[in-house]
Amino acid sequence: MRHIRCHVLIGVDANSLLAGAKAVEQALIKELADKGLADEVQVIETGSLGPIGQGVILVVYPDAVAYANVTVDDVPEIVTEHLLKGRPVKRLQVPLAPEERVVEIKPTGLVKKPQPRVVLQNCGVIDPESLEEAIAAGDYQALVKVIEEGMSPKDVMEEVTKSGLRGRGGAGFPTGKKWSFTAPGPQKYLICNADEGEPGTFKDRLILEGDPHRLIESMILAGYAIGATKGYIYIRGEYTLSIARISKAIEQAYRENLLGDNILDSGITFHLEIKKGAGAYVCGEETALIESIEGKRGQPRLKPPFPAVQGLWGKPTVVNNVETLSNIPPIILNGADWYRSFGTPTCPGTKVYTILGHIETPGLIEVEMGTTLRDIIFEYGGGIRKGKKFKGALVGGAAGAFLNESQLDVQMDYDSLKEYAAVLGSGAILVMDEETSVVSLLHSILSFFEHESCGQCTPCRMGTRSLLTIMERIVRGQGTEKDLDLLLQVSENMQVSSLCPLGQSPILPIKSALDYFRDEFLERVSGKWTEPPLQAHEEASQVG
Amino acid sequence: MPKVVIDGIEIEVPPGTTILNAAQRVGVEIPVFCYHPYLKPAGICRMCLVEVEGMPRLLPACITEVQDGWEIYTNSDRVKDAREWLLEFVLVNHPLECPICDEAGECELQNFVFKFGEPRKRLYDEPFKYPTRYLGPLIVHQMNRCVLCRRCVRFSDEAMGGTDWGVYERGYRTIVGPYERDVFAQKYTFNMEALCPVGAITSNIYRYKTRIWKLDFTNSVCAHCEVGCWLDLGERDGQLLKVLHRRGYPSPWICDKGGYGFEYVNHSERITVPLRREGNRLRGVTTDEALEFVAGRLKGLVESGGKVAALVSPHLTCEDYLLMGSFMKEVVGSDYLDYRLYGGNTYPERPAVDSLEGVEKAEAYLVVGEDLSVHHPVLALSVAKGCKEGRASLYLIVTGDSFLFKFAAEHANPLPGKEEKVLEALASVLGGKDYASLLEGTEVSEDTLKAMAQGLQEKKPLIIGGSRLTPEGRVLLKGVGERLGITPLFLDWGSNSKGAFQMGFWSPGGESVEDILNKCVSGEIKGLFVSSMDLFRDYPNGTLVKEALSNLDFLVVHDMFFTETVAYSDCYLPATSFAEDGGTVVNMFWEAKKRNRAFKPKDESMPLWQVALGLSRKWGRPLGDFGTVEDVTPLVRERLSQVVEAPSTLGGVKAAHLKGDIPALFEYPFYRAGMRTDFCNAFVQLVPEPYVTLNPEYGDELGFKNGDIVIMEVDGNQFRMKLFFRDEVPRGGAIVSRGFSDFPITRALKGLWYRGIELRAAKE
């Protein structure tokens, strides 16, 4: 008879798969069977445990011991020493963190500082392919609350409006307000935007991979609130693991009548379908996304009419980001006031960031809105790698802005960042150490824009191209100081005249780079500059 | 009504007016590339950005509706700056080909750079190096010059319901054009060329011929069909080189026949002197001698008790019909004259609608008996418009429709020759009678017909009866119309059938062309005058034509080319083209419109009215003193206002000869319909030879492959042709192309455009 005394969580995401997570998992299962522990120790696949770049990660409960960079060769030692004899393998262990936490989060020791996990509550804790575990961890409780307490769609919408939740896709528009704009009509649609295309951002992927049922639940609730009976998840085609997990979750939910007609005999109807994107950055823009779902060329529509009036198939449509939606069940379950206890008065709640670059522990973190950039980098991220000096950070992905050392104490929320002409964007924070070349990084960002412009409106189509040609001159050391002004002029014009946010964005990285790191650019165009340091160049190009 | 101030000028406009339209009203020019008054706004070129007081961003004038109290600046520094940048963006990779670009002189990019551009060059990049694509004989596509306004793509999508013309790649590498095909000729291609603001799509026919400012343009009316689109004929040195459609009447769009079907005017094989038969030879003579000869011979025939008949193309002007009719009836004393040389047996009728706008307003359409896109192409676009926008429903009872079927709510695609059976069945459904037996052998399902009847009763349709309908078919359709409370719109073949009818150019005894030809065979008619049409090409009974012409004592042909009919003639008189003489034509809505002379007739060429006048003078009984066509026009106007009663035509139609393996419809390919398309080189290249089309499934069943060479056998006559698969052909039937003066396809026919044929694979 099985009597589980110990769980081993193995984080399976795109990163760890590349590092050999499946092989480690199989070796672990085999080793446990060989040692006769199969009935005592259970191996569970979960989504990302947070950090990336640390190979295969295991967490052993109830001991709360985390191992990083585990290989197949380490497996016998872990099984024999730790799981059989109870002596953690010090060599692979990640140091423990302090015990205090805001929201309950298992002490994995992988995080440098405790995080208030609202969205990522179950990520890295449960088996994302198991509906039972999801339910045990609290998924679908908000739905049950809505049904049992007889909350009307208006109640749900009001609760969300009261919570002050703002869109996590980048623009920060109040979600409740967005919902309330939906035109009345017999057929409406809810679309989850999981086309996470912003370079350096992978928070939605890890949410999808770690807790797919949370998203399904949130979509049912959002659909209920706006009166949509059909939802789509528009997901990046490259996210094969996310697609597999969310598909499985949808299948499970249909089987248990958590999706479909008359959900749990409540009279609520909601159907969910997955649409795969084909890798266009612009399809993250909501109207381009809608075009893409309709089977057309992915390019933005004119607004007005806004999707809330005429969206998918010409019907009122709400498009929300994965993270935005994942905030809804806890809001419904715990109330708007509880939610407002996190973050700042204008930007309540938490925010999931992906921190990467020259940082000690890159990965996924969830912190309160308004946490300073300094805290995020130095407390949650463990500081700059190899003890080097902080130079700057690119916040918000390619369509974001650079910040330098003097802005480290900026509070990370929509309003505070605006004062620095920066945006929160998708929540990607690319940290640069002193050796990084901002010129090369900007070049990489501009090639990205040139590659991703949909080509519909003239300023973006030709402007992104012109920016790149100018930038190429500068990078090669063949530019002049005039070219720096030209970069600004072109991007300013693009901001004024482009049709959608893609063409309006390049001004952000360009202006901030030139404002804060002008010397570096001047050096490039001085005429005395020679070959770029190869390393910096390479690393920068990996971002794009 | 919102009141706004544009550049200091105050104006009150109706709500919903865009900034651009408001600016146009006060005469302020805002440059645009992607905007076009007849396409849906796209807002993508951003050329039309203007500043509105208090708005943080510049607004696109073409899509932004004005709001009360707005102060709009189209010329502020911000706007100028944005415009200069946009023009610089467009120019940075644009090749400097203006000196050899056919668009130069009417290029919107040139004009805008001249007016609004920034002479300073701030950006540098390589010019585009896309290959030039010669997309068949009609258009050339040069992506290098494209500004990506997408008007062509939007036209293809909005007006034509989507073709193989789209946007590919993205960003700076974005291209437009066809994806699959190397030849692009889609009936309405001309509009895509005309819409192009730059030289990205240009005409292959006009390529490198001349500069646009060297052309003299004359407004006239198209001679290919009775829609009667207004054209601007561009002439230089007595050559018609380019056609434009500047004034959007009756529709903003025209078809390729109107836009490109004018090459015959300048054709090198044109014969522009009269010819007189001497034994086996035709000798060039003076006009005077020819007219003398013809008048003398006709007079001789009449005096010896022979009859004389005249068969005239339905593409000529009312003046031609009036004077030729007067000559035949009053001078020669003939009762046999006709214009229905295509084999039709009906006379025009007054329509229920009076304009294409009226057509576009309808909530539903019932089209019977014609592929509108072939014989009335612009009407097809008007019908498609409402259906594409979802306002209207379309019901088709048409064999092998090649365009409108895309828009149809219900498409009955009967086997060749069965359209009227299905129409009878529809009448029975509407009358609550049994109809199942009528549908037998038509390949149309009861469900289709039931759905059609239901749809027609729900929304008031516009009923369109095509030119294929027999008199009996028209009666049936009128019956359907009466039940629904609608007078149908009946279409006729040719560009001026209605004018010919109104001028009385028909036999008072109601004889059809077939009757006249039979009388030639029997010897009753001894002399025949044929004008501007090759009977062997267009009359659906080649054997009868041959017999009739061989049996004549005297045949005079008035034409532009040496057709097979001319080969039988005793005298040839050179005819003018539609561009060389004016006159009145009556369009499908019975509106009289004026054709204008773009340049003087070539050499000895004469319009028909002059021939009639000359003959009457030589006869000794001049019809009047007319110097130019304008002198005849008042008489025409008078006749147009009279009510003309047509003789009954019922009972005059023979049964279709549909015995044989496969019932076949003989129909013109689009580029072969219309006037003298055999001598339009581009069209000949597009459709060089006749072919048979079958439904792919049916073709498979018969063991053929797409592109096979087959032998079509009719009455022991064998025709070797190519076979193609087309989805629109009904299963179990075939569609054979007609309209080839150098291929005796009409020998297969017996007076109707339907025939049973046998098909087999050709031995190698």
Side-chain angles (χ1 to χ4, degrees):
Chain A
M1 127 137 208
R2 282 191 103 194
H3 194 87
I4 307 293
R5 64 166 171 86
C6 182
H7 287 97
V8 181
L9 299 191
I10 175 162
V12 179
D13 60 21
N15 269 294
S16 60
L17 276 175
L18 285 174
K22 280 284 171 192
V24 171
E25 186 188 351
Q26 275 159 18
L28 195 59
I29 290 168
K30 186 168 177 294
E31 190 69 24
L32 286 171
D34 290 352
K35 293 279 185 312
L37 295 174
D39 288 342
E40 292 173 41
V41 180
Q42 190 178 14
V43 180
I44 295 170
E45 266 188 31
T46 74
S48 170
L49 293 157
I52 56 159
Q54 299 197 37
V56 182
I57 301 174
L58 304 180
V59 180
V60 183
Y61 285 114
D63 316 23
V65 169
Y67 297 114
N69 292 316
V70 179
T71 63
V72 175
D73 299 339
D74 301 326
V75 170
E77 190 182 348
I78 294 173
V79 172
T80 326
E81 287 298 306
H82 187 169
L83 301 177
L84 194 62
K85 300 180 183 165
R87 295 187 297 236
V89 183
K90 286 270 183 314
R91 158 175 91 77
L92 297 167
Q93 200 177 340
V94 184
L96 269 169
E99 289 294 314
E100 44 172 351
R101 16 222 57 89
V102 186
V103 175
E104 190 195 0
I105 161 172
K106 302 291 186 296
T108 63
L110 284 164
V111 287
K112 295 286 174 198
K113 193 178 172 186
Q115 301 167 9
R117 291 197 153 186
V118 174
V119 173
L120 301 177
Q121 198 183 1
N122 300 333
C123 291
V125 179
I126 58 164
D127 177 358
E129 302 202 357
S130 156
L131 175 63
E132 290 74 16
E133 282 198 27
I135 290 174
D139 284 348
Y140 296 108
Q141 274 186 27
L143 177 63
V144 170
K145 181 182 171 187
V146 166
I147 295 170
E148 287 198 339
E149 294 183 7
M151 283 173 83
S152 69
K154 210 174 147 217
D155 296 339
V156 175
M157 196 183 289
E158 253 167 32
E159 201 64 38
V160 172
T161 309
K162 253 170 44 194
S163 75
L165 173 66
R166 293 169 70 166
R168 299 290 196 253
F173 193 80
T175 306
K177 212 171 178 183
K178 189 172 191 174
W179 289 1
S180 68
F181 288 156
T182 1
Q187 177 69 63
K188 297 182 192 176
Y189 294 103
L190 173 72
I191 298 174
C192 169
N193 184 350
D195 189 60
E196 196 171 39
E198 201 62 56
T201 313
F202 45 87
K203 63 179 176 73
D204 295 343
R205 171 165 66 81
L206 298 185
I207 295 171
L208 285 165
E209 286 172 9
D211 193 1
H213 283 286
R214 167 70 75 88
L215 182 67
I216 294 174
E217 181 190 11
S218 65
M219 288 190 73
I220 299 168
L221 293 172
Y224 177 64
I226 62 166
T229 51
K230 169 94 200 200
Y232 290 90
I233 301 175
Y234 186 85
I235 192 164
R236 251 180 104 144
E238 295 95 324
Y239 282 6
T240 43
L241 186 64
S242 308
I243 292 167
R245 285 195 175 151
I246 192 83
S247 305
K248 186 157 187 188
I250 289 175
E251 203 180 293
Q252 290 166 341
Y254 266 110
R255 202 182 305 138
E256 300 301 328
N257 190 220
L258 290 162
L259 274 176
D261 296 328
N262 193 16
I263 294 170
L264 304 177
D265 291 328
S266 63
I268 301 173
T269 294
F270 195 72
H271 292 270
L272 199 50
E273 199 179 313
I274 293 178
K275 290 275 176 186
K276 284 190 267 183
Y281 175 60
V282 78
C283 285
E285 197 278 337
E286 56 181 4
T287 55
L289 185 153
I290 288 171
E291 288 275 295
S292 177
I293 292 183
E294 287 183 5
K296 298 181 192 149
R297 188 182 157 87
Q299 56 192 22
R301 291 180 182 174
L302 291 173
K303 294 185 204 173
F306 288 90
V309 180
Q310 245 180 46
L312 186 63
W313 316 115
K315 301 286 187 294
T317 303
V318 167
V319 184
N320 280 142
N321 172 264
V322 174
E323 189 189 343
T324 318
L325 287 167
S326 299
N327 272 301
I328 289 160
I331 291 173
I332 299 301
L333 202 56
N334 305 321
D337 294 336
W338 167 85
Y339 191 74
R340 276 188 172 276
S341 69
F342 302 99
T344 68
T346 52
C347 304
T350 59
K351 177 82 190 88
V352 181
Y353 294 100
T354 45
I355 43 176
L356 66 163
H358 304 142
I359 197 158
E360 202 58 50
T361 52
L364 190 71
I365 61 160
E366 180 173 354
V367 297
E368 286 191 56
M369 277 281 185
T371 309
T372 62
L373 184 59
R374 188 185 295 278
D375 277 355
I376 289 173
I377 294 173
F378 292 94
E379 298 292 328
Y380 294 97
I384 306 300
R385 204 171 63 181
K386 296 174 192 158
K388 288 196 178 133
K389 254 186 79 193
F390 172 77
K391 176 174 186 174
L394 176 67
V395 175
F402 287 96
L403 294 173
N404 71 357
E405 213 178 340
S406 67
Q407 283 122 17
L408 265 179
D409 289 313
V410 62
Q411 286 193 359
M412 297 286 281
D413 62 62
Y414 298 107
D415 302 319
S416 311
L417 277 167
K418 214 181 255 173
E419 288 167 26
Y420 292 86
V423 289
L424 198 54
S426 60
I429 300 173
L430 175 68
V431 180
M432 303 178 288
D433 69 15
E434 52 198 327
E435 284 172 13
T436 319
S437 162
V438 174
V439 179
S440 302
L441 182 53
L442 187 63
H443 174 229
S444 157
I445 290 172
L446 295 183
S447 350
F448 174 77
F449 279 125
E450 194 249 16
H451 186 252
E452 292 295 345
S453 166
C454 82
Q456 190 175 219
C457 74
T458 316
C460 177
R461 181 179 73 239
M462 303 312 295
T464 49
R465 168 70 183 181
S466 297
L467 289 176
L468 183 63
T469 45
I470 300 165
M471 197 61 213
E472 268 169 2
R473 265 201 313 266
I474 298 172
V475 165
R476 287 197 302 266
Q478 293 161 354
T480 62
E481 214 179 321
K482 254 177 134 180
D483 285 334
L484 303 184
D485 300 335
L486 211 49
L487 279 182
L488 268 181
Q489 286 173 14
V490 171
S491 55
E492 265 165 22
N493 177 268
M494 288 168 66
Q495 190 190 26
V496 170
S497 49
S498 291
L499 183 125
C500 87
L502 201 161
Q504 295 161 9
S505 299
I507 181 98
L508 291 168
I510 290 175
K511 190 161 187 317
S512 53
L514 287 174
D515 279 355
Y516 305 139
F517 306 100
R518 194 171 179 89
D519 290 348
E520 206 178 309
F521 284 86
L522 287 175
E523 193 194 334
R524 281 281 171 127
V525 299
S526 64
K528 291 175 211 139
W529 185 83
T530 46
E531 273 306 287
L534 192 63
Q535 190 198 0
H537 201 72
E538 273 183 346
E539 286 182 9
S541 63
Q542 281 167 8
V543 177
Chain B
M1 294 222 293
K3 234 187 228 166
V4 293
V5 183
I6 302 174
D7 290 348
I9 310 167
E10 212 180 279
I11 183 180
E12 209 172 319
V13 290
T17 309
T18 59
I19 298 177
L20 184 70
N21 292 343
Q24 280 166 347
R25 285 184 175 213
V26 295
V28 169
E29 189 187 1
I30 298 174
V32 286
F33 282 126
C34 70
Y35 170 83
H36 189 274
Y38 299 110
L39 294 176
K40 282 190 202 129
I44 56 172
C45 77
R46 318 303 279 180
M47 268 314 291
C48 65
L49 292 174
V50 294
E51 188 171 353
V52 176
E53 186 79 42
M55 293 274 167
R57 291 169 53 81
L58 299 181
L59 299 175
C62 68
I63 48 167
T64 312
E65 293 175 2
V66 295
Q67 281 171 28
D68 193 42
W70 270 9
E71 253 181 74
I72 300 159
Y73 298 96
T74 72
N75 236 338
S76 67
D77 287 345
R78 278 181 74 196
V79 174
K80 275 190 197 159
D81 188 54
R83 252 180 219 165
E84 281 160 13
W85 272 112
L86 283 164
L87 282 172
E88 182 147 9
F89 284 149
V90 173
L91 283 177
V92 65
N93 308 95
H94 195 89
L96 188 64
E97 295 177 338
C98 304
I100 54 144
C101 176
D102 278 331
E103 191 78 7
E106 53 173 354
C107 172
E108 290 170 34
L109 179 58
Q110 273 185 341
N111 294 345
F112 291 152
V113 172
F114 185 75
K115 269 193 190 160
F116 306 105
E118 163 80 343
R120 201 148 48 97
K121 189 170 167 70
R122 295 167 286 197
L123 302 173
Y124 297 87
D125 203 357
E126 289 275 291
F128 284 124
K129 288 195 181 68
Y130 294 106
T132 297
R133 295 183 76 184
Y134 292 85
L135 297 171
L138 300 185
I139 55 166
V140 183
H141 181 223
Q142 281 164 286
M143 191 59 217
N144 290 342
R145 301 171 179 172
C146 181
V147 295
L148 286 164
C149 67
R150 302 196 186 178
R151 285 188 196 169
C152 53
V153 180
R154 283 148 61 211
F155 173 80
S156 149
D157 191 42
E158 289 169 24
M160 295 166 70
T163 59
D164 180 17
W165 190 279
V167 188
Y168 303 98
E169 304 294 332
R170 70 181 181 206
Y172 160 79
R173 293 162 196 83
T174 308
I175 51 167
V176 299
Y179 187 72
E180 283 179 332
R181 56 192 79 212
D182 295 326
V183 174
F184 195 84
Q186 302 273 313
K187 295 180 183 173
Y188 307 102
T189 321
F190 174 86
N191 301 302
M192 292 162 70
E193 183 219 323
L195 282 169
C196 184
V198 292
I201 305 176
T202 49
S203 158
N204 199 13
I205 294 168
Y206 176 67
R207 195 163 179 79
Y208 302 147
K209 286 265 168 71
T210 181
R211 308 305 280 168
I212 191 88
W213 54 86
K214 297 274 188 190
L215 292 174
D216 290 329
F217 282 96
T218 309
N219 183 237
S220 193
V221 181
C222 179
H224 283 293
C225 82
E226 59 175 353
V227 176
C229 301
W230 282 8
L231 300 179
D232 298 282
L233 309 179
E235 173 263 352
R236 184 186 180 187
D237 301 337
Q239 301 250 314
L240 179 54
L241 293 178
K242 191 178 179 74
V243 162
L244 294 178
H245 182 56
R246 285 173 173 162
R247 283 177 284 176
Y249 179 89
S251 155
W253 318 123
I254 62 172
C255 74
D256 285 356
K257 280 182 282 181
Y260 298 126
F262 59 84
E263 282 183 289
Y264 69 91
V265 175
N266 317 320
H267 203 285
S268 58
E269 285 175 24
R270 221 179 127 172
I271 300 174
T272 52
V273 290
L275 303 172
R276 176 180 166 172
R277 179 167 298 280
E278 285 178 1
N280 283 336
R281 294 178 55 227
L282 283 164
R283 179 171 66 85
V285 292
T286 64
T287 305
D288 199 55
E289 187 186 338
L291 290 175
E292 182 91 54
F293 172 62
V294 172
R297 285 294 305 270
L298 291 181
K299 206 169 179 178
L301 284 176
V302 172
E303 278 164 5
S304 65
K307 292 246 163 46
V308 174
L311 295 176
V312 171
S313 153
H315 291 292
L316 303 179
T317 65
C318 292
E319 284 77 357
D320 292 330
Y321 298 126
L322 185 68
L323 289 202
M324 192 63 201
S326 301
F327 172 71
M328 289 305 290
K329 286 192 248 176
E330 291 159 24
V331 179
V332 179
S334 162
D335 279 341
Y336 302 125
L337 52 168
D338 212 320
Y339 62 92
R340 300 169 299 173
L341 304 194
Y342 48 92
N345 204 27
T346 52
Y347 293 107
E349 288 176 50
R350 295 277 168 178
V353 281
D354 57 1
S355 64
L356 282 184
E357 284 97 72
V359 170
E360 282 168 19
K361 267 185 220 140
E363 288 176 340
Y365 302 94
L366 171 64
V367 180
V368 187
E370 181 178 311
D371 185 347
L372 291 190
S373 68
V374 171
H375 296 289
H376 298 82
V378 173
L379 176 64
L381 282 188
S382 295
V383 170
K385 191 177 169 192
C387 304
K388 169 86 168 89
E389 286 166 5
R391 280 189 285 113
S393 327
L394 172 63
Y395 304 98
L396 285 179
I397 305 182
V398 179
T399 301
D401 188 281
S402 61
F403 177 75
L404 281 178
F405 73 94
K406 289 189 277 196
F407 306 93
E410 290 296 334
H411 180 196
N413 191 3
L415 280 178
K418 301 291 185 194
E419 281 169 344
E420 289 175 16
K421 270 270 175 274
V422 177
L423 183 58
E424 200 180 339
L426 178 68
S428 300
V429 181
L430 290 170
K433 285 184 228 145
D434 182 47
Y435 61 95
S437 60
L438 289 166
L439 285 180
E440 268 169 38
T442 61
E443 283 285 315
V444 174
S445 75
E446 291 182 29
D447 292 344
T448 308
L449 212 66
K450 261 190 276 181
M452 195 179 275
Q454 199 186 344
L456 288 170
Q457 280 162 329
E458 278 165 12
K459 287 202 244 173
K460 196 176 173 190
L462 171 67
I463 299 181
I464 301 176
S467 52
R468 276 209 290 266
L469 284 184
T470 63
E472 282 77 5
R474 283 195 173 185
V475 170
L476 278 172
L477 193 59
K478 276 183 213 163
V480 170
E482 267 164 35
R483 198 165 282 286
L484 300 168
I486 299 135
T487 317
L489 167 67
F490 287 113
L491 305 175
D492 292 285
W493 205 87
S495 58
N496 196 16
S497 283
K498 283 164 174 112
F501 172 73
Q502 193 70 17
M503 293 302 117
F505 204 89
W506 36 273
S507 310
E511 283 88 354
S512 64
V513 176
E514 186 171 16
D515 296 332
I516 292 173
L517 290 173
N518 279 328
K519 285 184 202 301
C520 295
V521 175
S522 71
E524 188 185 340
I525 294 174
K526 297 218 180 298
L528 181 64
F529 187 101
V530 177
S531 178
S532 302
M533 197 167 249
D534 182 8
L535 291 173
F536 284 97
R537 173 186 189 258
D538 292 300
Y539 186 73
N541 190 344
T543 323
L544 177 62
V545 170
K546 186 176 175 177
E547 259 182 83
L549 299 191
S550 312
N551 204 32
L552 286 170
D553 281 5
F554 186 64
L555 173 66
V556 51
V557 180
H558 173 242
D559 209 328
M560 289 171 66
F561 297 98
F562 198 91
T563 62
E564 198 175 349
T565 309
V566 177
Y568 285 77
S569 71
D570 297 287
C571 186
Y572 165 86
L573 297 169
T576 49
S577 69
F578 80 114
E580 289 153 61
D581 196 46
T584 313
V585 290
V586 180
N587 72 10
M588 57 183 288
F589 301 113
W590 289 84
E591 290 173 312
K593 297 286 169 196
K594 197 163 166 278
R595 274 188 206 162
N596 287 311
R597 175 197 272 212
F599 49 93
K600 69 177 178 29
K602 283 210 172 134
D603 302 332
E604 301 293 307
S605 307
M606 279 189 297
L608 183 61
W609 67 269
Q610 267 185 6
V611 172
L613 190 63
L615 288 175
S616 70
R617 283 181 180 146
K618 295 287 175 200
W619 193 290
R621 290 177 58 193
L623 288 169
D625 189 20
F626 306 109
T628 63
V629 72
E630 277 78 18
D631 298 337
V632 191
T633 307
L635 297 178
V636 167
R637 293 274 161 186
E638 200 190 313
R639 286 292 275 273
L640 283 176
S641 58
Q642 291 167 4
V643 177
V644 179
E645 286 290 334
S648 167
T649 46
L650 289 177
V653 184
K654 308 255 158 59
H657 300 260
L658 285 169
K659 282 188 195 115
D661 285 352
I662 306 164
L665 166 67
F666 287 66
E667 173 63 300
Y668 291 90
F670 173 83
Y671 290 101
R672 284 287 182 162
M675 191 185 197
R676 295 196 178 102
T677 41
D678 293 86
F679 296 93
C680 296
N681 293 338
F683 293 178
V684 172
Q685 274 181 55
L686 280 170
V687 193
E689 55 187 13
Y691 51 85
V692 191
T693 54
L694 293 178
N695 184 291
E697 287 171 32
Y698 185 55
D700 274 347
E701 240 170 70
L702 296 179
F704 293 119
K705 282 194 293 294
N706 191 23
D708 273 356
I709 306 282
V710 293
I711 303 285
M712 175 181 89
E713 188 165 328
V714 183
D715 296 340
N717 292 322
Q718 296 183 354
F719 302 85
R720 192 184 161 91
M721 288 192 278
K722 261 201 169 159
L723 177 136
F724 294 112
F725 287 176
R726 297 273 161 86
D727 290 333
E728 65 258 25
V729 183
R731 279 197 57 159
I735 295 182
V736 184
S737 54
R738 59 160 150 152
F740 295 85
S741 56
D742 45 6
F743 196 95
I745 199 95
T746 52
R747 295 271 176 88
L749 294 163
K750 284 273 186 246
L752 282 179
W753 292 107
Y754 304 104
R755 199 76 215 272
I757 59 167
E758 280 169 39
L759 282 182
R760 62 168 186 275
K763 288 189 191 93
E764 283 311 314

